[in-house]
Amino acid sequence: MTRWTRPLTTLLLTLTLAACGSVPALRGSGDLGVVIERASGSVQVVDNSHRQALYRIRGLGDLSHASLVYSRDARYVYVFGRDGGLSKVDILQGQLVARVMQAGNSIGGAISSDGRIIAAQNYTPGGVKLFDAETLDLLADIPAVDAHGQVSKVVGLADLPGNRFAFSLFEAGEIWVVDASQPRQPTIRKYPAIGKNPYDGLASSDGRYYIAGLFGEDGLALLDTWQPDAGVRRILPGYRKDDPALPVYKMPHLRGWSLAGDYAFLPAIGQHSVLMADSRSWQEVAQIPVYGQPVFVMADPSGRRVWVNFAFPHNDTVQVIDVPSRKVIQTLKPGKAILHMEFTGRGDQVWLSSRDDNKLVVIDPHTFATLTELPADSPSGIFFSWRAHRSGM
């Protein structure tokens, strides 16, 4: 190509691309996030480097209790809606790619360790369904029916290494672990009689521990997946024995627990306290008094501080716990109905959703100064793309 023909070739290429329509700017997804807008059935894609909104994607159904997971390349998110809808969204193009109605009432899901399988947990009719992550084709349907014929709502679905999933059965009081290595023929190991009414569950980031919170009794149930034959054991029993349980205005989210140093921090049901446990022995170390009933208990990426939000009527408040001193060091009132918190990958910002003020609040977690506020339509969950590379998210 001569120096005379090169400009002409470049011009022709530019004209060809223009004729094909607008081409999105080339960019990565590492600083992107997705915000659930619960009232309008939409999500916002946000950029946390520049602290701005990029797109709004509509038509995702009932998102009054919605969550999502990322594809392993962090280009797509899979949104699980309350109405049983499963939606695949391209966050780089700002488009809804595919959507299936897979149940009557769904509250969340997970993605397999190899990124090929999407698992949805359902209240109605109960059970877990496995889908192809590329096409959303159904691979398997796993009804949540125990040995006595009891149909249960499924809660606490979490991914484990080796294309496995763990979840809990609310009515039956069981934990099931599904091996989906052969997704059209999954195998199930069941752990019965773990306790009354498991309401949520979580997996540690290394996939070793699966913990179910128990609504019907004091304590939590722990499965060590490295020692599956040892069964499920009770941890933190009797943490409410010295203080009568208060009315529960909102169920805490165990998925919002934290590991910080050698300790685990978890929300206490019906208490104005955060539970602090040794993360090896799972013995209670302390109960840290806080402003209200905690919902999410989230450590910043350094593990030095833990941020807590609260159920109604204290949901306008966020508190920050200093891990070494085990004391609250800051109380913030950033907006009405703070439903969710999310740190950037390296912890330079924390984003908060204020549902009743229709805004997102971005705070410097070191100085506690507000960096910016962005409009959002009844925002709830905030999910940044670093989640694509973490287990148990």
Side-chain angles (χ1 to χ4, degrees), residues 78 86 88 97-100 116 118 131-139 184:
Y78 301 88
L86 169 59
K88 182 178 181 179
V97 176
R99 177 171 164 80
V100 296
R116 295 185 301 115
I118 303 299
F131 298 88
D132 183 290
E134 182 68 26
T135 64
L136 297 190
D137 290 340
L138 180 65
L139 301 173
R184 294 189 181 275

Side-chain angles (χ1 to χ4, degrees), residues 340 382 387:
H340 202 270
I382 306 171
R387 290 170 172 261

Side-chain angles (χ1 to χ4, degrees), residues 306-324:
V306 173
W307 289 56
V308 187
N309 70 335
F310 303 100
F312 178 86
H314 302 111
N315 57 1
D316 64 340
T317 302
V318 173
Q319 289 193 310
V320 183
I321 297 171
D322 175 67
V323 171

Side-chain angles (χ1 to χ4, degrees), residues 154-176:
V154 170
V155 298
L157 177 66
D159 64 286
L160 300 175
N163 292 336
R164 294 174 300 156
F165 300 97
F167 55 89
S168 299
L169 277 61
F170 181 80
E171 285 82 4
E174 298 187 356
I175 291 173
W176 290 9

Side-chain angles (χ1 to χ4, degrees), residues 6-42:
R6 184 178 295 111
L8 178 60
T9 302
T10 301
L11 176 60
L12 290 173
L13 178 59
T14 302
L15 292 174
T16 301
L17 290 173
C20 294
S22 61
V23 178
L26 185 65
R27 65 158 300 151
S29 60
D31 62 350
L32 298 186
V34 176
V35 179
I36 301 292
E37 295 184 310
R38 56 187 290 151
S40 56
S42 58

Side-chain angles (χ1 to χ4, degrees), residues 36-42 62-65 339 355 377-380:
I36 301 292
E37 295 184 310
R38 56 187 290 151
S40 56
S42 58
D62 182 356
L63 301 185
S64 59
H65 189 296
L339 298 191
R355 181 195 63 197
D377 188 4
S378 297
S380 55

Side-chain angles (χ1 to χ4, degrees), residues 1 22 91 100 105 129 200 217 232 255 260 324 368 370 376 387:
M1 184 181 293
S22 61
I91 66 172
V100 296
N105 189 338
K129 290 184 178 179
D200 197 5
E217 57 187 281
V232 174
R255 200 63 59 91
F368 307 113
T370 297
R387 290 170 172 261

